[in-house]
């Protein structure tokens, strides 16, 4: 037994020298198997603490916070996920939600959207959480990060998540991109959320149309948000078609 424990690191090092791809695949399997949903939520929470510390968060009496709190007052839990909301006072047109139920809305988005359109955008982002898109993407991001660190340190040990890894994850959270199928499913989630709660479902369509218009005139931050959300006009039309079928056009 002692011999086996002693020899294991030597075997691992030999593999790294001989076939790094094989070792990488093995590490991927290990981290994939050991990273629980709870760990992902814990990492998300840690990353959010860091994100909130690095961004101008609107205070409790700030008009943006007051407005957001009013808009979400009925929605502190969605699909069994307890949610916490904050406004970042930055000009970017963006919003995101994380696996621990944190929803962050940027001032730039609030400036151009109506209350129901904001709910539609948040409903879409929360849809990514409820559908586990965010959790799965976060797992992949953590694995990539862990594998890279292990490969560079050549230590053969996946240690605790480091501060720089959290930084990687935080960067990732804002620019997360999902598959087209995941986007469509998040749209459907938002549509159902709006419908179930008696909101005008067409707010989802008009929010896409506003983003499509913006992407024509601006570049940078807006474009990067839209790059993960392609075909805003097509998606808006899809919402309008469904609303017509369901007699929800107003
Ligand atoms: Zn999305």
């Amino acid at each position: 037994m002692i011999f086996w424990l002693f020899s294991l690191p030597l075997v691992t090092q030999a593999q790294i020298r001989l076939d790094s791809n094989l070792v990488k695949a093995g590490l991927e399997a290990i981290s994939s198997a050991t990273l629980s949903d709870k760990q992902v939520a814990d990492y998300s929470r840690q990353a959010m603490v860091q994100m909130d510390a690095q961004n101008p968060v609107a205070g409790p009496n700030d008009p943006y916070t007051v407005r957001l709190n009013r808009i979400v007052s009925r929605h502190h839990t969605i699909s069994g996920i307890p949610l916490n909301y904050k406004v970042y006072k930055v000009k970017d047109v963006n919003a995101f939600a994380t696996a621990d139920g944190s929803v962050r809305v940027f001032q730039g988005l609030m400036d151009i959207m109506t209350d129901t359109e904001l709910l539609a955008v948040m409903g879409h982002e929360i849809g990514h959480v409820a559908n586990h898109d965010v959790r799965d993407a976060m797992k992949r991001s953590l694995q990539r990060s862990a594998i890279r660190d292990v490969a560079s340190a050549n230590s053969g040990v996946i240690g605790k998540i480091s501060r720089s890894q959290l930084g990687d994850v935080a960067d990732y959270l804002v620019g997360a991109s999902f598959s087209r199928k995941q986007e469509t499913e998040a749209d459907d989630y938002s549509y159902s959320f709006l419908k179930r709660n008696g909101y005008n479902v067409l707010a989802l369509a008009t929010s896409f149309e506003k983003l499509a218009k913006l992407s024509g005139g601006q570049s940078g931050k807006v474009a990067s948000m839209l790059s993960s959300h392609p075909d805003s006009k097509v998606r808006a039309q899809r919402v309008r078609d469904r609303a017509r079928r369901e007699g929800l056009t107003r």
Side-chain angles (χ1 to χ4, degrees):
M1 193 63 181
I2 288 165
F3 183 74
W4 181 81
L5 281 171
F6 186 73
S7 66
L8 186 61
L10 298 175
V11 171
T12 306
Q13 278 188 350
Q15 280 176 340
I16 286 170
R17 240 177 276 126
L18 290 171
D19 188 350
S20 63
N21 283 335
L22 186 71
V23 174
K24 266 188 179 176
L27 287 171
E28 205 160 349
I30 290 164
S31 51
S32 164
T34 55
L35 203 55
S36 71
D37 290 359
K38 189 184 173 302
Q39 278 174 303
V40 173
D42 288 347
Y43 292 151
S44 300
R45 163 59 47 192
Q46 289 178 54
M48 280 316 306
V49 169
Q50 194 173 331
M51 283 280 291
D52 287 349
Q54 289 171 348
N55 283 281
V57 177
N61 298 318
D62 187 288
Y64 283 92
T65 305
V66 172
R67 180 181 170 212
L68 184 66
N69 286 344
R70 178 172 49 74
I71 294 170
V72 302
S73 59
R74 293 163 56 200
H75 310 296
H76 287 294
T77 303
I78 298 179
S79 295
I81 305 159
L83 301 168
N84 71 87
Y85 300 90
K86 283 190 170 87
V87 179
Y88 286 172
K89 298 205 76 175
V90 292
K91 298 287 182 201
D92 306 39
V93 177
N94 212 343
F96 66 94
T98 59
D100 66 310
S102 299
V103 182
R104 298 296 177 265
V105 184
F106 294 21
Q107 179 180 332
L109 184 72
M110 292 188 74
D111 286 339
I112 62 165
M113 298 291 174
T114 66
D115 290 358
T116 313
E117 284 166 349
L118 279 174
L119 276 170
V121 173
M122 285 188 279
H124 173 95
E125 297 302 326
I126 292 163
H128 282 307
V129 176
N131 295 339
H132 301 304
D133 302 341
V134 174
R135 179 199 67 188
D136 295 344
M138 179 114 178
K139 274 191 181 181
R140 285 196 298 275
S141 169
L142 284 167
Q143 283 162 11
R144 271 199 303 274
S145 192
I147 287 162
R148 196 189 52 218
D149 282 13
V150 167
S152 61
N154 205 14
S155 67
V157 177
I158 297 175
K160 287 183 67 164
I161 187 164
S162 69
R163 208 168 168 76
S164 70
Q165 283 176 316
L166 275 181
D168 288 350
V169 171
D171 286 347
Y172 161 78
L173 289 173
V174 183
S177 63
F178 302 110
S179 72
R180 197 157 290 220
K181 180 168 174 283
Q182 287 174 319
E183 293 302 343
T184 301
E185 286 168 357
D187 289 351
D188 289 345
Y189 184 95
S190 181
Y191 183 104
S192 300
F193 163 78
L194 295 172
K195 184 181 172 184
R196 189 169 67 243
N197 288 284
Y199 298 109
N200 185 351
V201 294
L202 293 180
L204 185 58
T206 52
S207 71
F208 290 149
E209 284 155 0
K210 281 183 179 176
L211 291 173
K213 203 173 282 179
L214 271 176
S215 73
Q218 288 186 33
S219 58
K221 294 299 165 64
V222 174
S224 76
M225 181 187 181
L226 286 168
S227 70
S228 66
H229 296 88
D231 302 329
S232 293
K233 279 182 185 165
V234 173
R235 292 165 73 200
Q237 191 55 50
R238 196 172 160 272
V239 171
R240 290 190 180 281
D241 291 346
R242 181 174 168 190
R244 195 173 302 114
R245 282 199 305 279
E246 297 183 352
L248 293 173
T249 42
R250 283 179 255 177

